[in-house]
Structures are given as C-alpha cells and as structure tokens.
Amino acid sequence: MPGLLFCLFLLCGGSAFAGTTGILEGVVRDKATHELIPGVNVTISQLQRGAATDIDGAFQIPNIAAGHYEVRFSHIGHRAYTLKNVAIQPDLRTRLTVDLEPTDVELPEVTVVLEKPLIQTDVTGSTFQVTDFELNALPVDNVTDILHLKPGVTMEGNVRGGRTDEVLYLIDGLPVKDVLAGEMSVNLPKSSIAGMSITTGGFEPEYGNALSGVVNVVTKSGTNESHYLVKADKDNLFGGQQNSNTNDFDLSASGAIVNNALFYYASGSGTLTDTRWRQDFKNFFRSPIEKDFSGFGKVEYLFSPTTRLGTQVLYSHKDWRDYQFDWRFNLDGLPPEKRDSYRIALVLTQNVSDNFFYTASLSRYFLRSRIGEGSKEDIPSNQPYQYDFFLRYVVSGKEAWWSDTKQVSYTTKFDGTYHPAKDHLVKFGGELSLYDLHSDVVKYEPKRTYFGRPLINEPQLDYSTSYAYRPQSGSLYIQDKIDALSDGALLNVGLRYDFLNPTANRPAIEAIPASDTAYSFVSNQTVPAKWKHQISPRLGASMQVAENGYLFMNMGWYFQYPLFDYLYTGLDRAALARGLSALTGNPDLEPERTLAYELSIRYSFPGNLVASITYFSKQTTNLIDTKTFVPGDSKLVGTYGFAEYVNTPNADAHGFELTFSRERGNWFTGEISYTFMITEGTSGSAQDGFYIAQYGLPPATRTFPLSWDQTHTIKLTGTFIAPFGLTAMGVAEYHSGRPYTNYPTATGFEAVDGGLFSENNARMPSYMNLDIRAEQSFTLGFLPNGRPKVFVDIRNVLNRRNVKWMDSNGRIGGELNDPSGYYIGRRTHVGIQIDF
C-alpha cells in the first residue's frame, strides 16, 4: 500500500505551491456598439505574458503570481487602453470588462487605475485578502497579529471557537507548523510578504489538516526593476519605564540578474529585546535577552513566458529566556531556549496550454528546538529547586528540564488547474509528506495543588521521553467551480482524501490488581498502530439576490491529525522500563473532526461601503485529551499510574459576525466588525484530564464555556490619508470577559469549606485596547529615487491594565500580584524607512 501511494504521487508530478497564483480573465467590447471584439492583444508587461481575445471577445491568462500588475489592451482601429493596479489574488479569478474606444487616427493611450471589486463573488467561504500595504501600515508585528484583527478570532488567535493549534499556517502554500508542539515555527521578514489570505470558514479542499482556519502568506518575487528597502525602529528613544529596550530592523533587495530571464529577491529582519521583564532580567543576564532573526531568498529563471523555475530559502533563528514571576530571584535557574528552522524549495510553474497549468515543487523543512544547556545527564532529577518558607518564590536550584527535538519534513505536492469549458474551473492535486522526528526530553516537575502550591514531600512527576519515528501523510483533492447555473450564481463542489501512517506500535497495557483498591500497570507487548484515513466533502454556493447583494452558503467536513508528540511521547523503551511516563502517547489516536457550515449575506452601498452578516456553526468531535489511570490515592502518578492521550472531548461553537468595511476611499478606509459567539466543550486542552485527576478533582461531566469563549467582540481598523504625505492607522478592540474557574482557597492546599469545583464558572473583566501608527513621507534631494518616511507606532495608547489571568480566588496575578496577570502596557516605537 505505501509503495502504491508513493507511485501515485510521483505520477501526479511533484509538488505545488497551492494558493499562490490566480487567473486574469474577461471580455473586451467596442465602446460605441458594445459588440465583442476578437483579436485584441492583452499583455501583462511585467511578466512578458499575454493572450488574445477569441471570437467571443473573451481572454484568459492563467497562473499569474499574486500581486498588482499593469494590463495593456491594443487592437487596430481602437485606442490603446492600460489598466493599472490590477490585483491578482491567490486561488481567485480576476475578471475584467474593458470597453475600447474606436478611432481612425492614432490617439494617446488611455490609462486607468483599477479598483478592487467590492464583493468577490467566487469566494463562498469567509476569506479576507490582506495586501502588503496593510501589513506594513497597520500597527502589527507579524501575520498572526493580522489574523487577530479579523471577525470571529479571539485575542489569543482562536478562530471561531477552535483551539489555537487548529489553524494552518502556510508560506507560499507549504505548511510551516511545528508538528510536535502545534505552533507556527518560523518568522518571515515583513518586507518579503506580497500579500496573504485568511480563511476563517469554508476553506476549499486544496487545504487540509486544519479545523478552524487557513493563513496563506505569498512572498514577493524579483522583476526587471531593482528595488531596495531599509527599515529600523526602537522603543526606548524617550527613556522612562514604558519600553522593552527593543530594536528592530528589516532589509530587502530585489531585481534582475539577467533582464527578462533571471530574477532574485532577498530579505532579512531581526529583533533584539530585553522583553517587558528587563528590570528583573538585568540582574542576571546581559542585554539582549531575546534575539530573533529571519531571512528569505528567492531566485527564479524564466525559460519562457509560460515556464518558470525557482528556488527559495527561508531561515529563522530565535533564542530567548523564559520568565516566571515566582523565579524572579533565581532567573538563572530557568533554562535558556533556542529554535532554528529553515526550508529549501524547488518550484516549477508551467502553462501547458490555454486551458491547463500547474505548479509543482519539492521542499525540505528542518526545525530544531532546544531547552537547557550542557548534557541531559547534568539535569538534577532528584534535587528539586528550593522555595522560600511560604512556598511562594523559588530561591535556589535549577529547573529540571532539558530538551532537544528535531523534525525534518520532505514534501512533494502538485496542483493543477484545468479549464475544460467556459463555465467550469477544475482544480486538483496531491501531496505527500515524509517526516523524520527525533525527540529527547528530560523533564521533572514537582506535583502541585490546583492552587499552584508545590507538594515538596511528594515524588516529582516524570515527563522524560526519547523517541525517533518516521510517519507519513498524504492527500488528494479535486474541486469544480461551476458558474453557469444562472446569472450571478456559482457552485463549488470538492472532495479531499487524506491519510496518515504513524509507523509505530502502541503498548498493550495491562492493569494487575495489587490490592482491592490499587493496581500496577505493565506493558509486555505492543500492537501496530493502524493507518488513518479521512474523506472530506466540501460544498459552497453563491447567488445574486439583489442588484448589489449576494447570498453565500458553505458546508464542509474538516479534519486534523493529532500533534505527533501526542502519538509518541513516553513510548520509548527506557520510559516504559521505568513503569510508564506521567503522560503516555497513543499512536492510534484518530483525526479530530469538525462539521462546519455558514450562511452569509453581503451587500454594497453607495460610498464604497460593504456590509455583511454571517451565521456560523461548528461541531467538533474526537478532540484530544488525557484519560488518567491512577491506582489507589489519586495524587499518585508517574510510576504508580499514567495518563494516556485519547479521543474523548467534543466542542461546539456558533454565532454571527456583522461587518462594515470600506476598502476604497480618498481619505479613509477601514473595517468595523461585531462578533457574537458561544464556545463550549468538555475539555480545554489536551492535558485537562491529567491535571484534573492529579489534583484529585472530579472530571467534567457537562459542557462548560471554554477559556477562550469571548461572547462579544468589537474590532475597528482604520486608515486615514492626509495631505502632504501623512498617513495614520488605528486598531481598536473590545472583548467581553473570558471565563476562569472560581474555586477559592485560604491555604493554597484545600478549597474553602463547601466549595464545589466547576470549571470556568466566572468571568474576568472585559478587555479594551487601542493601537495607532502614523507615518510621514518626505523627499531628500540627494536621494532622488528614494521614498523615505518616519513613523511612530504606539501600542496600548491608553496604557490600559487589561487582565490576562486570575487565580481561583479571583485575584489578578494571584497571591504574588504577578504583573503577567495583565497584558503589556504602553510601548512606543519610532523608526525610519527608506524605500528606493
């Protein structure tokens, strides 16, 4: 079976960067008679590509990299016509209707700046297109900050009620996710981003292994015109305490190595910071505390206007130190952390004919994460760190945590687009990923009460593991976009198939009675884990219901495979020989599954205003949690019992989003959105069951509001363009309070008499925030081709003390008044950028 599938993927042709190109199409008419004109030359000058209109006056230019272009229309007997700022968006068709003016004499060419359509009618899900201008103009640091500004997304990045690791992040169509920890594992220089698409509901079948959303970042490419950028900023120019001693830089260069044939793009960025905890860190370490560097490079060769071969390299490095307030007098006892990653990719795009094009690539992605210094044999497993008399602060000792994990992913992927008829657009493709995973972890933690007090006389919990596995995953998909049902109607029909081969054995664990109330657990044999398969139908439709109004519907079945650490941790022979780790993996975990649907109406009003209302609902099953097997005393774990990952929880999210946006305007553009959402489930994380059992508390027997349940959310983004090169951008947010568990204690070891444990039974205060960014452009006589500007970027302008967490007594920051109980205060960055 594996060999057959591998051959099938090879026949598919390789790999593709899905979601990085679009299609330009349309018709050309005579302005006087409105008759369709055949034989019109349509040319994209930057790409040296074009087409001619057919007998029906229609044209199509497929496989165009996302970006903005000039399109020229010329025909004998008609005045030449050029459209500027034609936006090509990933996965979408840009449609034009052009009227050429008839003439018998040569007249100057007409040039017009094209405006983006107010409503994209062939997108049936909730998709937001973000330009490089928005990314660089708004007060945001990275792509995840942009995601947080969209309706249906919480301040922590939960999309429509899902967990944060349910979002798929792609760069040029390929994932950049830590498959062990579940987070986005790279940083990308902002200057290298050409645009991005964010889908919060109804993503198409070319995207899989995600339950809640897809973020696809498209990078820039070189052209014949050279372009350079230098940018730098600081947050401590004004002194005072409201800074993190942060310095940022961003550099880029692009152009042609050989005109019309060989192009390059290169960028690099870096951040050096002492973090918000610099006052404590300076007593232990030299500046900077955190260093974050990233780089991106691309070289592309144009064999012909229809065939392009490129290679790209993405690199990211970060090293930092963790901060915990109860360690503030012993910060050098916390281990340093490092992360390095890089990706190399070879990409081929080709237009085989006017009706068929494909993109193919082969890539290698490497990620290494390290915690601690020296050898793992140096970890003080039997020497827990020391607390003060009141068990509040750690005053000496080292945290027993050392980790070295490596993951390598080889991905081959193919995406083809076929236009068999005027009213059908068929997309199909496949993907195969081979993983090489190595994890070596030594970790011991003291047992704690639910209230955070350490049980210093109890043996520590052992989370150590060491494993190496080579799982495999792959997918096939097909989709047809049909827009011939009736005027203004479109139907998306798609199907996706995915598989996962864990290539592992799971232990067959047997409980042996030791007494009437206690058991011991042994594992004398293993059972091979089964292949996992998933078929996911996707269906979407749109139709015009008024002159300026459209109705959109979408339904889909989505899936996500568990993080590999949930499959493999604690299964190595050394861990099993110790009697089972505190947390034990399960290679037979099933995919997590979501059934989601949405219904929306979008309407455009005079003044370039668009309003939309969307109802959505998601039912998620097979979520990951732990089932804890603890013999006798419920406080005994480790060698006395174990917790295994299982597919038991479920969750439900539903609500509606109301949005008003203005994407065109001479002086103001922006968006305001309101989201009402209910998010409930039976588990808040993949370790909920383990911790609940460890604390000796009853497991959840009912659904409860999950910790990211924000019932009401209002978001406002706006851009003001003033005279004399002044531009101001603002982001304002309001979130109603999130849940927390109110379970009071007087001692830190036991609940107040009569207290009943009920998860997330109270709410924290609401959250409000305002960020602004203003920039002023000017000219320099000695730099005639440069476009310099200075900017100021202020986060949390009002310096509001927004609550981040509360303890079970309802105290912000707990009994220590930990400042991390609040989100970070005001920070002001001032910088300069030169673009030439």
Side-chain angles (χ1 to χ4, degrees), residues 580-598:
L580 297 174
S581 296
L583 282 171
T584 302
N586 181 1
D588 258 335
L589 287 172
E590 292 289 330
E592 300 169 291
R593 295 181 172 92
T594 288
L595 169 60
Y597 56 91
E598 64 178 64

Side-chain angles (χ1 to χ4, degrees), residues 118 548 603-610 661-662:
L118 293 176
N548 297 314
Y603 196 93
S604 61
F605 295 90
N608 299 322
L609 180 66
V610 175
S661 63
R662 188 173 191 257

Side-chain angles (χ1 to χ4, degrees), residues 104-143:
D104 294 328
V105 296
E106 181 128 1
L107 293 176
E109 182 172 330
V110 176
T111 300
V112 177
V113 177
L114 182 69
E115 294 182 317
K116 177 184 173 183
L118 293 176
I119 299 176
Q120 192 77 40
T121 58
D122 59 343
V123 180
T124 58
S126 296
T127 298
F128 307 89
Q129 301 293 335
V130 181
T131 66
D132 57 341
F133 170 79
E134 293 175 271
L135 183 65
N136 289 289
L138 289 170
V140 295
D141 294 322
N142 48 50
V143 297

Side-chain angles (χ1 to χ4, degrees), residues 8-202:
L8 177 61
F9 283 102
L10 290 181
L11 288 173
C12 283
S15 136
F17 280 7
T20 63
T21 65
I23 295 174
L24 177 66
E25 62 184 19
V27 295
V28 183
R29 305 180 303 186
D30 186 288
K31 188 173 183 179
T33 66
H34 294 293
E35 293 181 353
L36 300 172
I37 309 174
V40 178
N41 291 317
V42 184
T43 307
I44 302 176
S45 57
Q46 298 102 313
L47 303 178
Q48 295 184 311
R49 290 184 55 192
T53 58
D54 60 18
I55 193 171
D56 296 320
F59 70 93
Q60 184 182 88
I61 306 176
N63 201 22
I64 305 171
H68 291 80
Y69 299 94
E70 291 186 8
V71 183
R72 189 175 188 270
F73 300 82
S74 60
H75 185 256
I76 296 175
H78 291 83
R79 190 176 183 180
Y81 188 91
T82 296
L83 276 175
K84 290 187 174 183
N85 198 42
V86 177
I88 302 298
Q89 299 174 350
D91 296 327
L92 302 180
R93 286 181 283 183
T94 299
R95 293 174 173 173
L96 305 176
T97 299
V98 175
D99 293 320
L100 296 186
E101 179 182 349
T103 179
D104 294 328
V105 296
E106 181 128 1
L107 293 176
E109 182 172 330
V110 176
T111 300
V112 177
V113 177
L114 182 69
E115 294 182 317
K116 177 184 173 183
L118 293 176
I119 299 176
Q120 192 77 40
T121 58
D122 59 343
V123 180
T124 58
S126 296
T127 298
F128 307 89
Q129 301 293 335
V130 181
T131 66
D132 57 341
F133 170 79
E134 293 175 271
L135 183 65
N136 289 289
L138 289 170
V140 295
D141 294 322
N142 48 50
V143 297
T144 57
D145 289 346
I146 288 285
L147 172 66
H148 296 174
L149 299 181
K150 299 305 175 183
V153 183
T154 71
M155 68 182 77
E156 306 295 344
N158 309 89
V159 177
R160 288 186 174 174
R163 298 177 180 180
T164 55
D165 61 7
E166 295 176 4
V167 179
L168 176 65
Y169 290 94
L170 307 167
I171 295 178
D172 285 332
L174 288 175
V176 285
K177 186 175 182 178
D178 185 334
V179 296
L180 298 181
E183 58 188 6
M184 186 175 179
S185 55
V186 300
N187 285 327
L188 186 68
K190 286 174 64 176
S191 60
S192 66
I193 299 176
M196 55 188 291
S197 63
I198 298 173
T199 303
T200 58

Side-chain angles (χ1 to χ4, degrees), residues 557-784:
W557 285 258
Y558 306 93
F559 84 101
Q560 181 170 313
Y561 291 119
L563 298 176
F564 286 125
D565 207 47
Y566 299 160
L567 270 63
Y568 303 132
T569 188
L571 295 187
D572 54 286
R573 292 183 179 276
L576 293 175
R578 292 193 300 267
L580 297 174
S581 296
L583 282 171
T584 302
N586 181 1
D588 258 335
L589 287 172
E590 292 289 330
E592 300 169 291
R593 295 181 172 92
T594 288
L595 169 60
Y597 56 91
E598 64 178 64
L599 180 69
S600 66
I601 296 176
R602 303 169 201 171
Y603 196 93
S604 61
F605 295 90
N608 299 322
L609 180 66
V610 175
S612 69
I613 183 168
T614 302
Y615 172 80
F616 63 89
S617 179
K618 293 170 55 178
Q619 293 86 44
T620 305
T621 57
N622 270 18
L623 287 170
I624 308 300
D625 198 355
T626 45
K627 183 176 182 180
T628 305
F629 303 89
V630 183
D633 188 344
S634 63
K635 296 185 177 62
L636 300 180
V637 190
T639 57
Y640 301 96
F642 72 101
E644 183 181 45
Y645 290 106
V646 292
N647 295 103
T648 54
N650 58 73
D652 178 83
H654 60 275
F656 67 87
E657 301 161 358
L658 179 62
T659 303
F660 294 91
S661 63
R662 188 173 191 257
E663 296 186 9
R664 302 178 191 167
N666 295 326
W667 63 275
F668 171 77
T669 58
E671 176 182 273
I672 183 170
S673 68
Y674 166 73
T675 301
F676 172 83
M677 181 164 52
I678 302 294
T679 304
E680 296 181 326
T682 57
S683 172
S685 75
Q687 291 82 30
D688 257 20
F690 170 70
Y691 290 114
I692 292 297
Q694 176 189 336
Y695 302 138
L697 299 172
T701 57
R702 61 173 183 86
T703 59
F704 55 87
L706 298 178
S707 298
W708 52 90
D709 176 42
Q710 291 177 188
T711 309
H712 305 283
T713 302
I714 299 175
K715 300 177 182 180
L716 171 65
T717 62
T719 301
F720 299 87
I721 302 176
F724 311 110
L726 176 64
T727 303
M729 291 71 65
V731 173
E733 297 178 75
Y734 166 83
H735 305 283
S736 59
R738 293 177 292 120
Y740 78 99
T741 301
N742 185 263
Y743 187 51
T745 178
T747 64
F749 289 91
E750 296 177 349
V752 173
D753 290 343
L756 297 177
F757 180 77
S758 178
E759 288 189 69
N760 289 347
N761 57 354
R763 295 270 174 173
M764 293 186 284
S766 59
Y767 171 100
M768 294 182 64
N769 187 59
L770 173 65
D771 301 332
I772 61 172
R773 188 180 191 273
E775 58 184 45
Q776 175 67 59
S777 301
F778 55 95
T779 58
L780 295 175
F782 62 86
L783 195 63

Side-chain angles (χ1 to χ4, degrees), residues 15 37 47 88 135 182 214 226 291 348 366 385 417 433 487 512 556 592 638 717 732 745 756 760 817 820:
S15 136
I37 309 174
L47 303 178
I88 302 298
L135 183 65
V214 175
S226 296
K291 292 171 282 188
L348 174 66
F366 171 86
Y385 34 85
T417 300
S433 294
D487 291 341
I512 300 177
E592 300 169 291
T717 62
T745 178
L756 297 177
N760 289 347
N817 293 316
S820 71

